[in-house]
Amino acid sequence: MRLRGGDGDAADAGTTGAMEDYAAGDQFEATEPVEFSILWTDWPEVTVKDSWEFFDVLKERTNVDLKTTHIPLSDHLEKRSLLISAGDAPEIIPLVYTGEEKQFAASGSVVALSKYLDQMPHFQKYVEEWDLQEMVDNLRQEDGELYMLPGFQEVSVPMFTLLVRKDKFDELGIEMPDTWDEYREAFLKLKAAYPDSYPLQDGFQGQSLLNYAARGFGTQAGWGFGDGMQWDEDAGELEYAATSDEYKEMVEFFHGLVQDGLLHPDSFTVQDQEAVERVERLVSEGKAFAGSGASGTAIEWSQALDTTVGPGNYEVVQVPPPAGPAGDLVEPRNFWHGFMITKEAESKPHFTALLQFLDWLYYSPEARDMLRWGVEGETYTKSGDEYTLNPEYRLDIFNLNPGAPTDIQKDLGWSTFLAEATESRALKESYATDQAVEYIDQVLSTRTPTDPNPPAPLSEADLEQAALLGTPLKDAVDTATLRFILGERPLSEWDAYVAELEAKGLQQYVDLYNTARERFAENNG
């Protein structure tokens, strides 16, 4: 392979450090030392260290010195926005979820990455092999360009779902339910057997629960509410989810659970880590039997139950999000967080090398293994699709090799948020428990991902208007949803609630998106 470096000539503008003939399967290595800057979000429990092996190995393999600008997780969206708007952000902006790029694309603050996809062969390879082209095209903004590139997931499996103490269901002879109505009947039996319990809990202010439940009701809510727009197939247009019959039916269902003592009201009010620990404690004490969580939550529940009922005396399982009136639908999860590049980087002499580096980091299988597991032969071994963490290393977040002296995340910098972005099925299952692997199989065989809305990218002026209208609408929706579910507002006032949203400019908000949808379809075929 021939390599090309930058010599400062105009003909080589933007190619300093770039590889010539860079292709899928290649290890990116800059032809001369380069420095790239990245916005790093700090998790409270993971303190970034300059001594992390991650930075040293990355530099050794790629000839890239990665310089970090740090922001806290607690307000990273606000801090990120301020840095980008002021022109002070680093070149690489990771941890970007689809839709979060809209404001920056409209203001011209970030690079139109779709113009440079020919420099990103690993990205192109995954799009083709995992059949993601239509979904990628759905991310295009009003001008038809892509301003963020997402992480890819080979399998579309919701991360958060319902966790269940199956042993308690078995104890009462309850066959594992599949639908929300069946779970309601199961919760009634659990409540009768354990009167002091609230069988169902949520440790995320109801945002997780409503997110995965909403799809089965044919709507969107909680963490997945987004801009609030959902596709009405019959009408052939977008509608506001929180005024739909489907949303009302979902609210009525969960109000009924609260009313009958099956779902604790604190699930919607207690916040942050206190809420997570509260649910964990109730489960370990036998006062809750189901709740929201991911595979890591299941591990935390198991660790708590080890101390109260003892190992082997319980069974915690992840189950597919229950089906609802709309069927066995779940949110599509082929995309995870990805990245943007700030506009100023486009004029840097090393811009092409930056594109190649990010293509390798986010989409090369070798890079993905490294980000998750570290250095093969040192921290882990691999045989086929089997990954094994070496015995002197542990990974606390997945309860792997507990008691080993070195945590590959906290001590070495592997398995941080960068590791989450793109995962093959084998890589996702490499750190999963047997039960989590079974959950993946169950979802893939029994659930159907919902189709995305048709593209409706807003112009910069539209975005400003949508923000002015959308924020008070969403605030009103959040307040009313909570009050309806908790019984603080009677459901007989649903029409009055819809009228309140209409008075806040609901129709104007909906019209913005439908006009944008029609405009995009007309301009892009």
Side-chain angles (χ1 to χ4, degrees):
M1 174 179 299
R2 293 178 295 122
L3 304 178
R4 178 176 62 198
D7 59 9
D9 294 337
D12 284 332
T15 62
T16 296
M19 297 172 62
E20 190 171 353
D21 300 328
Y22 170 67
D26 290 345
Q27 161 71 56
F28 170 77
E29 184 176 2
T31 59
E32 59 183 85
V34 289
E35 180 180 295
F36 300 145
S37 57
I38 186 171
L39 189 63
W40 193 283
T41 300
D42 291 326
W43 260 243
E45 64 273 18
V46 182
T47 302
V48 179
K49 303 173 183 176
D50 292 337
S51 61
W52 269 0
E53 183 181 63
F54 162 71
F55 295 111
D56 295 334
V57 171
L58 192 69
K59 186 172 183 178
E60 177 184 333
R61 294 190 181 184
T62 65
N63 216 8
V64 170
D65 193 6
L66 204 58
K67 295 298 183 184
T68 55
T69 295
H70 295 267
I71 54 175
L73 177 64
S74 58
D75 60 351
H76 77 284
L77 293 179
E78 180 183 354
K79 289 287 198 310
R80 180 180 72 189
S81 182
L82 290 172
L83 285 169
I84 294 175
S85 299
D88 295 329
E91 297 161 312
I92 305 167
I93 309 295
L95 204 63
V96 180
Y97 291 90
T98 56
E100 293 179 353
E101 79 279 16
K102 292 178 181 179
Q103 59 175 312
F104 307 115
S107 65
S109 302
V110 294
V111 172
L113 292 168
S114 47
K115 295 180 179 180
Y116 301 102
L117 295 183
D118 60 331
Q119 306 286 340
M120 308 189 76
H122 290 100
F123 172 89
Q124 294 175 318
K125 185 173 185 286
Y126 269 125
V127 168
E128 180 178 355
E129 288 186 359
W130 291 355
D131 193 24
L132 298 173
Q133 189 63 61
E134 184 177 354
M135 294 185 71
V136 169
D137 287 340
N138 208 40
L139 301 179
R140 295 182 183 274
Q141 299 303 306
E142 187 189 25
D143 58 3
E145 302 290 354
L146 300 168
Y147 289 84
M148 71 84 71
L149 297 185
F152 294 149
Q153 301 289 301
E154 184 179 8
V155 290
S156 180
V157 176
M159 176 176 286
F160 278 76
T161 184
L162 196 65
L163 306 181
V164 172
R165 270 200 68 180
K166 185 175 181 297
D167 59 296
K168 290 297 183 181
F169 283 62
D170 293 343
E171 176 187 293
L172 299 178
I174 302 171
E175 185 175 347
M176 284 303 295
D178 187 60
T179 69
W180 278 112
D181 284 341
E182 291 170 357
Y183 270 103
R184 176 183 173 81
E185 293 304 311
F187 294 153
L188 285 168
K189 294 176 182 178
L190 286 161
K191 181 74 172 181
Y194 296 93
D196 293 336
S197 73
Y198 283 84
L200 177 62
Q201 304 280 344
D202 187 89
F204 307 93
Q205 290 187 273
Q207 295 298 296
S208 173
L209 177 62
L210 296 184
N211 176 37
Y212 62 79
R215 302 293 176 161
F217 283 85
T219 188
Q220 58 202 49
W223 284 337
F225 188 75
D227 56 26
M229 305 308 299
Q230 68 184 29
W231 181 245
D232 184 336
E233 186 67 38
D234 293 334
E237 63 183 13
L238 295 166
E239 65 174 349
Y240 197 57
T243 61
S244 67
D245 292 341
E246 295 84 357
Y247 195 94
K248 181 182 179 183
E249 187 174 12
M250 178 195 70
V251 167
E252 288 176 328
F253 178 83
F254 285 103
H255 166 66
L257 294 186
V258 171
Q259 188 175 40
D260 292 343
L262 307 177
L263 171 60
H264 201 297
D266 284 355
S267 295
F268 297 88
T269 56
V270 180
Q271 300 182 33
D272 304 325
Q273 189 61 27
E274 178 187 352
V276 175
E277 292 173 354
R278 171 189 158 276
V279 174
E280 183 181 304
R281 174 177 51 80
L282 292 172
V283 169
S284 70
E285 293 174 352
K287 295 180 179 178
F289 312 109
S292 301
S295 58
T297 316
I299 292 171
E300 291 166 357
W301 284 17
S302 296
Q303 291 170 334
L305 284 161
D306 281 345
T307 65
T308 55
V309 303
N313 295 319
Y314 62 86
E315 184 179 3
V316 174
V317 298
Q318 278 181 287
V319 299
D328 59 4
L329 300 175
V330 294
E331 61 178 328
R333 270 298 178 191
N334 285 108
F335 290 163
W336 204 228
H337 55 75
F339 64 91
M340 303 182 295
I341 300 178
T342 49
K343 187 67 175 176
E344 291 77 8
E346 199 170 24
S347 60
K348 296 286 183 66
H350 58 234
F351 180 63
T352 300
L354 176 63
L355 292 168
Q356 293 176 348
F357 169 74
L358 287 171
D359 174 68
W360 175 81
L361 189 72
Y362 270 80
Y363 306 108
S364 161
E366 291 74 24
R368 303 315 302 170
D369 283 357
M370 178 193 74
L371 288 171
R372 175 58 73 190
W373 290 110
V375 180
E376 186 173 3
E378 177 192 322
T379 55
Y380 77 102
T381 58
K382 182 181 179 183
S383 176
D385 288 338
E386 296 292 324
Y387 298 73
T388 303
L389 191 62
N390 287 342
E392 63 268 36
Y393 297 97
R394 70 180 196 275
L395 185 52
D396 288 347
I397 55 170
F398 301 124
N399 198 34
L400 297 175
N401 294 351
T406 303
D407 187 309
I408 65 167
Q409 182 192 62
K410 298 172 185 174
D411 299 324
L412 303 179
W414 308 115
S415 275
T416 65
F417 67 87
L418 286 176
E420 303 169 349
T422 295
E423 290 182 308
S424 66
R425 179 172 182 174
L427 186 57
K428 180 181 287 292
E429 293 182 354
S430 69
Y431 54 86
T433 63
D434 291 343
Q435 202 288 307
V437 172
E438 182 180 347
Y439 164 69
I440 293 173
D441 288 335
Q442 289 177 330
V443 171
L444 295 177
S445 61
T446 66
R447 296 296 184 259
T448 304
T450 56
D451 293 326
N453 289 341
L458 303 181
S459 67
E460 185 172 11
D462 287 344
L463 280 169
E464 293 178 3
Q465 188 67 15
L468 289 173
L469 294 168
T471 299
L473 283 170
K474 178 64 163 53
D475 289 344
V477 167
D478 288 344
T479 299
T481 299
L482 175 65
R483 295 189 67 209
F484 281 136
I485 289 176
L486 296 186
E488 296 172 357
R489 184 174 185 178
L491 283 158
S492 60
E493 293 187 11
W494 182 266
D495 290 344
Y497 149 72
V498 173
E500 291 162 10
L501 296 184
E502 290 171 346
K504 293 180 181 295
L506 174 63
Q507 191 59 53
Q508 187 181 355
Y509 182 77
V510 172
D511 289 345
L512 276 175
Y513 281 92
N514 277 309
T515 300
R517 175 185 56 81
E518 294 166 359
R519 182 174 62 231
F520 185 86
E522 181 179 339
N523 293 338
N524 294 276

